[in-house]
Amino acid sequence: MEQISRRKFIHLSSVSGAFLVVGCVPGPNGDQQVITKVSADLAGLDLNQFISIGLDNSIILYNHRPEMGQGTFQSIPMILAEELEVDIDRVEIRQSEASRDLYGSQMVVGSRSIQTEFEKLRKMGAAARELLKQAAANTWNIGVDQCKASNGSVISEDGKVLTYGQLVEEANKLEPLENPPLKDPKDFKIIGKPVFRKDIPLKTNGEAKFGIDLYTPGMLYASVERSSVFLGKVKSYDDSETLKVPGVKFVFRTEREVYGRKREGVAVLAENYWSAVQGRKALNIEWDTLNLEEISNETITGDSYEAAKKDGDELFGKGDVKNVFKGNSTVIEAAYETPYQAHVPMEPMNAMVSIKDNSAEFWGSTQNPNGIRSFLSKKYEIPENAIKINYTFMGGGFGRRSMTDVAEEAADLSKKSGAPVKVIWTREDDQTQGPFRACSLNVCKAVLDVSGKINALEHKVIAQEIRNQTGDNMTAGRQLMGGINTEYLIPNLSVKGVLRKRHVPISYWRAVYHSTNPFAHESFIDELAHLAGKDPVKFRLDMLDHPRYRRVLSEVAKITNWNAPRPKGTGRGIATAERSGAFFAMVIEVMQKGKSVVPTKITTVLDLGICINPNTVKAQTEGSIVMGLGAAYAGLTIENGSIVEQNFDSYPQLKISQCPEIETLILKSEAPPDGAGESGLPTVAPALANAIFDLTGKRIRKLPIDMDGII
Amino acid sequence: MAKISLKINGQIREIDVDPNMPLLWTIRDHLGLTGTKYGCGIAQCGSCTVHLNGESVRSCVIPTGTIVDQEITTIEGLSKNNDHPVQLAWIQEQVPQCGYCQSGQIMSTAAMLKKNPNPSDEEIDNALNLVLCRCGCYPRIKKAIKQSIKM
Ligand code: FES
Ligand code: FES
């Protein structure tokens, strides 16, 4: 947590009201660092790296987190504006530069931006506000306690008014407070309001720039052919036909690293992208596929079931599950399968890089701008301060854009060609190259006691682990148990992992293991409720004293009339989960339509602490639901060591006609904010499977679900 | 390569491109109009939707050489001030998340409403079913269309 106490602003007044200000942010080890920020020709005051106030009362607030649709472009400035006491609709929002020194981590992953930055941003806003109040108090020669900040001005008790712009010069002579007072959440005027996002108008007329849209003089476009069998090596290639394609300039071997493994390819560089793609089609490459063609869905599933016989590593344990299961003939067992999934951001992966002798520049859409800088600095031995990072809006990320591998390809090709190079992946590349969401097998076992409560439960996850994809260490890590609810009051509870290593690359996918494990866990809880002859909501509530779980479950049951009789031909299912600190419960209603089952309504109740912008949080929940449904209906298949589904025709994404009515209720809370970007996703598959069971009596234990093939 | 003259957003533009190059790449890489997006290249996602003589088409599968002398409108030419009723409704309902698919969503909707100013839910689904939004803006798109009908 940032300590504001050692923060210092150093002000160098100079000609024509230009100022230089020094702010402070946590250093790489969490230590404090003092950093200068020059704003040489700005006629105003950079109060800190987040806030700039002009003599003309213009206010600029900086969002320091890359925007991929999650809405921090608006919600981060909302927090600043709340404490600064300015009208959010009248400020200008700008994307900040990428600078670890100025902003600490800027990586957007795990729905963390608001939860980790909330306190810091409030302090930034408050420190600036107090500085302006002090400036007014000095001007009027009164105590600061006689001054109030409101709507971009400071007002004295007797009604004198000075605008922030008028206070800039005086404020510039002062030192900011070490510990500025923060507002009482009860007095929030902006936080919690559905404020319109300022990035949205840019996204309705084609103005918003994404990485794929950028241009720099002299640039070449590149398209890279890679082995469809992951890890395949280039034995040789013939580019004679490629070089005949008009516009093609160069062909190079290239490689990038994906979680510790080299991935090879042959790149075609051309004056325009179309030529690069045509040239790529004309390549003749001989691959060494290392006998990995033998791997298929069948062999992987077989391996998983075989591995499930192992004891595995205990990731969580209480009581003595083994003892309860021993010789017990009433052990209930069920196995659940989930497939590999691609991230499928609508903007295919791309990156543009220019590598020069002692400098480098990156342009593109990334969740991890400083990571790209560090990577380039290390690989090309260029000092970090000689590397310029230009990051744009992202056309979706979902975890895929936290990696630096595509920038690595672009850098390699820039180095080899001497030109700035923009690599654009095709949709087929995106879908067939990964890294993917891991496929998984979950084996659950339980014993009920005489009263129908769960006496013992074991949940075994058999899957690859993102953090441990290569090498000999076969011990499962805690990452594998993401999303398994250990708050259920089950006297004997054990979560185990059996680690698998495969040639298929995996990575972080929205909600990560929370997007697969709860399908098994919350389905199994439902199965047990039915076996115990209990209502699934009551069954869960009876096992929970966690107040937040209880609150979301009770509330969702209430607003969906869970206990009311329901029409024939309909069903509903419930599931609950926690992700990134946020708690939620979901009810999915389904109905029979001919021979198909269709979801008709999805209701979610969320408790995520203080909600900054309910409009954005609801949008994120809608997005999570759509993504969760898509992943329940479609998955990737491996044959001959490669992905079968090449594009959207065989890997269909959820369509508008498949999107049911969605209702989201955000519970009021004054607790610190939790992550909102993945809320709802973990519960979709289990709530849907539970609803299908409710309607048809058929239990779904394998994703994807063929909704037309159930009845 | 061939000299081709295109009528785009009310202007005549002369370019020298491979007539087989899909219109999408001509628009983006040669005319610098990057509001039209690449999503799949096989007419399955709608991100590349533009209007050809007022009809919505998928520019990723139309060879540039086949559309000489026809009227092309891209998102940049839909309105001067971001004030086409569909754009206004999109802002009102706060539709976009990442925004990448939205040119396609808006161009498809505008073309649909021109032909059928009062579409039923089913007609909306049919017109927009292959305009994919990975961020899941569908509930808001539905609301915004209703909203723009009122405008
Ligand atoms: S890019 Fe044309 S439909 Fe997908
Ligand atoms: S808004 Fe992101 S794909 Fe539609």
Side-chain angles (χ1 to χ4, degrees):
Chain A
M1 166 62 66
E2 192 213 10
Q3 303 252 320
I4 214 155
S5 55
R6 287 209 276 145
R7 166 125 66 86
K8 259 189 163 173
F9 292 91
I10 298 169
H11 320 276
L12 296 185
S13 305
S14 64
V15 283
S16 74
F19 301 95
L20 176 136
V21 180
V22 177
C24 172
V25 291
N29 320 316
D31 294 328
Q32 294 299 303
Q33 273 189 338
V34 178
I35 295 108
T36 47
K37 185 181 181 202
V38 186
S39 53
D41 52 17
L42 185 75
L45 174 57
D46 274 4
L47 282 164
N48 50 50
Q49 61 271 48
F50 290 98
I51 299 169
S52 172
I53 298 180
L55 295 170
D56 58 354
N57 289 313
S58 59
I59 292 170
I60 302 166
L61 302 181
Y62 289 90
N63 165 40
H64 64 307
R65 293 291 173 125
E67 172 63 49
M68 56 181 156
Q70 84 278 30
T72 46
F73 187 78
Q74 185 75 20
S75 44
I76 281 178
M78 279 172 74
I79 301 167
L80 295 165
E82 179 70 67
E83 292 287 350
L84 185 61
E85 295 289 359
V86 293
D87 181 351
I88 184 71
D89 291 327
R90 286 187 43 214
V91 307
E92 185 189 334
I93 297 176
R94 286 195 196 159
Q95 195 67 45
S96 82
E97 62 185 298
S99 162
R100 195 177 278 131
D101 289 344
L102 283 173
Y103 296 103
S105 169
Q106 289 174 273
M107 176 140 94
V108 281
V109 291
S111 303
R112 285 192 208 128
S113 290
I114 298 296
Q115 26 176 353
T116 59
E117 304 297 280
F118 186 62
E119 280 302 310
K120 173 165 115 189
L121 292 165
R122 288 181 73 190
K123 280 186 180 172
M124 289 285 172
R129 177 196 68 219
E130 291 304 311
L131 199 67
L132 292 155
K133 277 166 68 183
Q134 189 61 52
N138 292 2
T139 309
W140 293 323
N141 221 345
I142 57 174
V144 73
D145 54 336
Q146 289 164 276
C147 299
K148 191 176 104 191
S150 170
N151 202 8
S153 295
V154 180
I155 304 159
S156 70
E157 273 177 355
D158 57 357
K160 287 194 286 284
V161 179
L162 283 170
T163 64
Y164 284 1
Q166 290 171 316
L167 290 166
V168 157
E169 296 209 44
E170 181 61 28
N172 197 37
K173 298 176 196 152
L174 305 173
E175 289 295 319
L177 277 189
E178 294 188 347
N179 257 317
L182 300 180
K183 287 173 76 170
D184 185 330
K186 287 192 183 58
D187 299 328
F188 283 164
K189 293 199 272 288
I190 299 168
I191 291 173
K193 299 277 155 13
V195 174
F196 270 28
R197 282 168 55 169
K198 283 188 198 289
D199 56 329
I200 282 184
L202 304 173
K203 294 172 176 176
T204 57
N205 64 1
E207 211 181 315
K209 286 273 182 270
F210 299 85
I212 201 169
D213 300 331
L214 301 181
Y215 171 83
T216 194
M219 66 180 258
L220 294 174
Y221 294 82
S223 187
V224 183
E225 180 72 16
R226 307 170 191 85
S227 175
S228 69
V229 180
F230 314 108
L231 311 182
K233 307 256 172 250
V234 180
K235 256 201 223 160
S236 64
Y237 69 88
D238 171 3
D239 59 9
S240 48
E241 290 304 310
T242 301
L243 291 168
K244 288 182 198 152
V245 173
V248 168
K249 291 276 174 201
F250 304 103
V251 177
F252 296 117
R253 271 183 201 237
T254 185
E255 60 177 33
R256 63 190 226 284
E257 197 177 302
V258 179
Y259 289 98
R261 292 194 279 214
K262 291 270 180 247
R263 302 282 301 277
E264 297 186 3
V266 178
V268 179
L269 279 63
E271 280 167 355
N272 63 72
Y273 183 60
W274 173 246
S275 297
V277 172
Q278 295 314 103
R280 176 180 165 187
K281 283 185 191 152
L283 281 172
N284 209 330
I285 306 174
E286 208 189 324
W287 296 103
D288 177 2
T289 50
L290 317 163
N291 293 329
L292 294 164
E293 288 100 330
E294 288 161 13
I295 297 171
S296 67
N297 256 36
E298 213 172 301
T299 65
I300 288 173
T301 310
D303 167 77
S304 294
Y305 277 97
E306 196 52 39
K309 293 179 191 155
K310 295 188 190 186
D311 228 8
D313 302 300
E314 183 146 270
L315 306 172
F316 176 91
K318 81 180 176 198
D320 190 348
V321 170
K322 242 194 181 142
N323 195 33
V324 181
F325 287 170
K326 204 151 105 209
N328 194 320
S329 60
T330 64
V331 178
I332 302 146
E333 183 171 339
Y336 304 84
E337 295 172 39
T338 67
Y340 287 108
Q341 298 283 359
H343 294 78
V344 197
M346 278 312 290
E347 178 193 8
M349 295 304 293
N350 62 82
M352 180 156 74
V353 176
S354 169
I355 300 282
K356 302 223 173 86
D357 280 346
N358 281 310
S359 67
E361 189 160 2
F362 161 88
W363 300 258
S365 37
T366 172
Q367 292 173 245
N368 186 10
N370 296 318
I372 289 178
R373 176 185 279 119
S374 310
F375 170 79
L376 294 175
S377 169
K378 234 187 250 152
K379 173 143 185 201
Y380 295 98
E381 295 177 351
I382 297 170
E384 292 218 351
N385 59 15
I387 299 173
K388 188 155 187 247
I389 300 290
N390 310 280
Y391 66 99
T392 62
F393 286 128
M394 283 173 267
F398 315 121
R400 181 63 183 87
R401 287 198 154 88
S402 60
M403 296 179 64
T404 56
D405 61 318
V406 184
E408 182 179 351
E409 281 182 336
D412 182 46
L413 297 170
S414 171
K415 180 87 185 166
K416 286 173 174 153
S417 67
V421 172
K422 177 155 84 172
V423 173
I424 303 177
W425 286 36
T426 62
R427 176 58 59 199
E428 289 82 358
D429 295 337
D430 177 70
Q431 242 172 251
T432 58
Q433 291 295 322
F436 306 96
R437 180 181 89 175
C439 71
S440 71
L441 171 67
N442 289 248
V443 179
C444 300
K445 287 186 197 174
V447 166
L448 297 173
D449 69 16
V450 281
S451 69
K453 280 197 168 167
I454 304 173
N455 177 18
L457 190 147
E458 180 188 275
H459 186 146
K460 200 184 269 181
V461 181
I462 300 102
Q464 293 164 265
E465 191 170 0
I466 302 164
R467 286 195 195 124
N468 183 6
Q469 298 191 44
T470 56
D472 304 330
N473 176 2
M474 290 305 286
T475 310
R478 279 182 65 84
Q479 190 173 40
L480 275 188
M481 69 172 285
I484 294 176
N485 185 349
T486 52
E487 291 293 336
Y488 284 127
L489 300 171
I490 299 167
N492 304 286
L493 179 62
S494 167
V495 180
K496 287 180 170 159
V498 183
L499 178 69
R500 305 317 292 149
K501 287 193 175 163
R502 297 187 170 124
H503 84 304
V504 186
I506 60 160
S507 185
Y508 296 88
W509 190 96
R510 198 175 191 174
V512 201
Y513 293 90
H514 283 69
S515 74
T516 51
N517 291 341
F519 164 59
H521 204 74
E522 282 292 293
S523 292
F524 192 56
I525 295 288
D526 213 72
E527 296 204 35
L528 297 174
H530 287 287
L531 286 170
K534 301 228 174 110
D535 171 76
V537 173
K538 195 171 175 310
F539 188 68
R540 285 173 170 83
L541 284 173
D542 286 348
M543 290 193 289
L544 284 166
D545 61 7
H546 190 288
R548 297 179 76 187
Y549 270 123
R550 292 189 63 86
R551 204 166 157 221
V552 291
L553 270 168
S554 311
E555 201 60 39
V556 83
K558 195 168 103 197
I559 64 172
T560 55
N561 281 321
W562 182 264
N563 292 320
R566 62 188 183 283
K568 214 174 156 295
T570 68
R572 80 259 146 111
I574 189 153
T576 188
E578 171 277 341
R579 170 66 185 160
S580 294
F583 290 77
F584 41 95
M586 176 179 285
V587 168
I588 298 190
E589 295 166 57
V590 296
M591 70 179 233
Q592 184 175 348
K593 214 174 177 185
K595 290 200 121 348
S596 307
V597 177
V598 285
T600 49
K601 186 167 180 188
I602 301 187
T603 310
T604 317
V605 173
L606 299 167
D607 171 5
L608 35 67
I610 290 172
C611 165
I612 311 301
N613 190 345
N615 211 328
T616 306
V617 169
K618 284 186 182 172
Q620 284 299 293
T621 309
E622 289 156 13
S624 288
I625 289 170
V626 166
M627 203 155 171
L629 269 183
Y633 295 167
L636 295 171
T637 332
I638 310 249
E639 253 171 47
N640 301 318
S642 317
I643 295 290
V644 174
E645 296 80 5
Q646 299 283 313
N647 203 321
F648 293 143
D649 46 354
S650 49
Y651 185 46
Q653 301 302 310
L654 201 85
K655 301 174 174 65
I656 194 167
S657 63
Q658 295 173 300
C659 183
E661 186 187 345
I662 293 176
E663 187 185 331
T664 305
L665 177 72
I666 303 164
L667 296 177
K668 284 238 171 319
S669 169
E670 282 183 14
D674 302 302
E678 294 142 306
S679 297
L681 203 155
T683 40
V684 173
L688 180 64
N690 296 341
I692 292 170
F693 178 81
D694 188 47
L695 172 66
T696 65
K698 291 200 180 135
R699 182 50 72 177
I700 304 290
R701 296 201 186 96
K702 184 175 175 175
L703 301 180
I705 310 169
D706 174 9
M707 298 293 280
D708 303 322
I710 300 165
I711 293 168
Chain B
M1 302 295 255
K3 286 231 182 308
I4 292 177
S5 151
L6 290 177
K7 212 168 160 195
I8 187 158
N9 299 333
Q11 281 185 313
I12 309 273
R13 303 275 301 262
E14 308 277 342
I15 41 164
D16 194 9
V17 295
D18 178 346
N20 291 319
M21 177 168 1
L23 180 60
L24 168 65
W25 299 110
T26 302
I27 292 173
R28 288 179 52 83
D29 294 349
H30 290 264
L31 301 174
L33 297 167
T34 54
T36 305
K37 302 302 190 204
Y38 163 64
C40 70
I42 58 162
Q44 292 289 311
C45 78
S47 289
C48 65
T49 304
V50 299
H51 295 173
L52 191 61
N53 307 319
E55 300 264 345
S56 71
V57 294
R58 303 195 161 198
S59 63
C60 67
V61 290
I62 300 178
T64 306
T66 62
I67 43 164
V68 183
D69 287 336
Q70 304 180 59
E71 298 265 353
I72 307 161
T73 309
T74 67
I75 186 75
E76 290 90 347
L78 184 66
S79 71
K80 273 216 172 62
N81 302 308
N82 209 359
D83 57 359
H84 184 282
V86 174
Q87 290 169 316
L88 293 175
W90 247 240
I91 295 167
Q92 186 57 38
E93 294 301 330
Q94 296 280 289
V95 173
Q97 288 186 34
C98 83
Y100 192 81
C101 72
Q102 297 298 339
S103 302
Q105 305 287 358
I106 290 169
M107 294 306 277
S108 304
T109 302
M112 166 187 72
L113 291 177
K114 208 163 157 199
K115 264 207 236 159
N116 179 3
N118 205 353
S120 65
D121 289 352
E122 211 180 320
E123 287 167 327
I124 294 174
D125 281 355
N126 285 339
L128 296 182
N129 219 16
L130 272 185
V131 192
L132 301 178
C133 177
R134 184 67 168 155
C135 296
C137 299
Y138 300 135
R140 288 167 191 237
I141 289 173
K142 288 184 192 178
K143 270 195 214 144
I145 293 174
K146 299 268 148 89
Q147 183 72 29
S148 71
I149 293 169
K150 282 190 232 141
M151 281 176 176

